[in-house]
Amino acid sequence: MDVTKDNFGQALNEFTAAIGACDFAALDMEMTGLYESREYQPSREDSCDERYAKLRCSVETFGVVQVGICLFTWKADGDSGFYEAQPFNFNVFPASTVGGVDAGFSSRASALAFLAKNSFDFNKWVYQGIPYLRTSTANSLRTERTRLLTRRKRSVAPDERHTKFVADVECALAAFIKSKEPTLRYELANSYERKLVYDAVASHDTLGTRSRMGAIEVFKGSPRAMARHIAHKIKSFNSSVDDAHGFTRVIDLLSASRKPVIGHNMLLDVLHALQKFVSDLPPSRTQVEHDIAQFLPVLIDTKYIIESTPGVKARYGTSSLDEIAPVLEREDSGSIRFHPRFMRNVSHSMHEAGYDAYMTGATFIRLLKLDGSIDLAIYKYVNRLYAATAEGIYWDIKPDKLSI
């Protein structure tokens, strides 16, 4: 299912209903770049701390354009059964229309060319991308706006250059209250003057404001009317925040489900998910491992499974998803089927995040079916994310063992 802001409500309802019933989810992302320069490219000679510093720089520099999440649910069919797949391809674009929030990110020409080569629609991404805002940021915006709208005391001390400006505003407001004029319009030179006028009006319980282009319109009303006006403004602002919160609700649902999340070479994807939708990445590698364990407690990396299982690597000669997934698919005998509602919307295009998430989850299932190739005690692969460094080939991310 390709999801934009136009059909996000429907997709969110379907995702909410499905996440509770599914057995596991697979995750994939498409980004505006990978590494800022050669200096920041991963090396087998990196220490684990050096690798995290490079990945942190990448995550903080580049944006995410698509998030693919595919939910897999076991369906019993007599003595056997199959996995039913529900792939979601979320086109995401950071919120920029509420509370002064305006995220920035960089891009690499090579990354954009790669996206274009794989039929990525840049106009759809910008104009129809689902907005997102961290839950903590959304909550802070709601709290701060409610505080500003309901306070009745001055809270801004003007600088020396604007002392006379504020005094003039106070005189004008006092005269306006006594007059029969219904409105008072203030033409403003900058956002600081706007803030000072809002602050002055807030101390009067019979005055309200309406924002106008380059100006503020002050109007009169009874205390009850002003209370209704403020309640309406709070409701309207909270609705805007809800819209901006957008896609983050999907990530919150995924985290709250505590379901296993499968990825392929997934460490960068997980760090992007944490930084874009939850919180800033900490400087400490030990702390970020703890944060990841709290965020997505069960992670399985198919690249690590392949690289750490000599029989699989020898049989297929690769751990690249592009190369091994189609081979495993041809060898499969129908262990995976698409949910009926999703069959028409599957793109079958590699490097679309939704389809890559499907292929990642399908690869995981098919790897488990290879007789004698993978230890059935799958727990040995849990929370070991592929990261080839001087210290080994994986990060061990567990709540009780936060080291590599």
Side-chain angles (χ1 to χ4, degrees), residues 60-74:
E60 292 175 343
T61 300
F62 298 109
V64 169
V65 301
Q66 282 183 345
V67 179
I69 302 176
C70 188
L71 306 181
F72 291 84
T73 307
W74 175 255

Side-chain angles (χ1 to χ4, degrees), residues 225-296:
M226 289 300 105
R228 288 196 300 268
H229 173 71
I230 290 171
H232 174 76
K233 292 182 74 170
I234 292 173
K235 182 178 179 180
S236 177
F237 181 78
N238 287 345
S239 178
S240 298
V241 173
D242 289 343
D243 290 342
H245 189 207
F247 174 74
T248 303
R249 286 178 282 179
V250 172
I251 297 298
D252 287 347
L253 286 168
L254 180 64
S255 176
S257 76
R258 318 316 273 171
K259 297 294 176 73
V261 176
I262 317 301
H264 188 86
N265 200 14
M266 69 187 302
L267 182 54
L268 191 61
D269 291 339
V270 171
L271 291 174
H272 266 292
L274 184 63
Q275 191 266 349
K276 297 296 184 292
F277 310 118
V278 182
S279 63
D280 291 340
L281 296 182
S284 162
R285 175 175 57 85
T286 301
Q287 182 60 49
V288 82
E289 290 171 355
H290 174 76
D291 292 349
I292 290 171
Q294 298 299 309
F295 171 44
L296 297 173

Side-chain angles (χ1 to χ4, degrees), residues 199-216:
D199 190 62
V201 173
S203 62
H204 299 273
D205 62 2
T206 59
L207 297 180
T209 58
R210 301 185 187 97
S211 182
R212 297 289 185 259
M213 183 67 69
I216 292 177

Side-chain angles (χ1 to χ4, degrees), residues 1-16 65-70 86-93 120-121 124-132 246-250 341-342 345-347 352-355:
M1 176 184 287
D2 190 56
V3 188
T4 66
K5 63 183 178 182
D6 295 334
N7 65 336
F8 177 63
Q10 173 196 343
L12 180 61
N13 290 337
E14 294 204 32
F15 187 90
T16 302
V65 301
Q66 282 183 345
V67 179
I69 302 176
C70 188
Q86 295 171 270
F88 296 83
N89 184 60
F90 295 100
N91 299 276
V92 298
F93 192 81
F120 182 76
D121 188 333
K124 182 169 72 173
W125 170 51
V126 174
Y127 292 114
Q128 296 178 270
I130 309 157
Y132 62 86
F247 174 74
T248 303
R249 286 178 282 179
V250 172
R341 282 183 49 76
F342 288 73
N345 297 312
V346 179
S347 71
E352 179 193 81
Y355 188 68

Side-chain angles (χ1 to χ4, degrees), residues 319-339:
S319 63
S320 166
L321 184 68
D322 288 11
E323 297 173 0
I324 197 170
V327 178
L328 288 169
E329 186 174 38
R330 288 194 295 270
E331 295 176 352
D332 191 20
S333 57
S335 63
I336 306 166
R337 303 176 191 174
F338 287 109
H339 185 287

Side-chain angles (χ1 to χ4, degrees), residues 1 90 105 160 304:
M1 176 184 287
F90 295 100
F105 53 83
E160 291 183 5
Y304 171 69

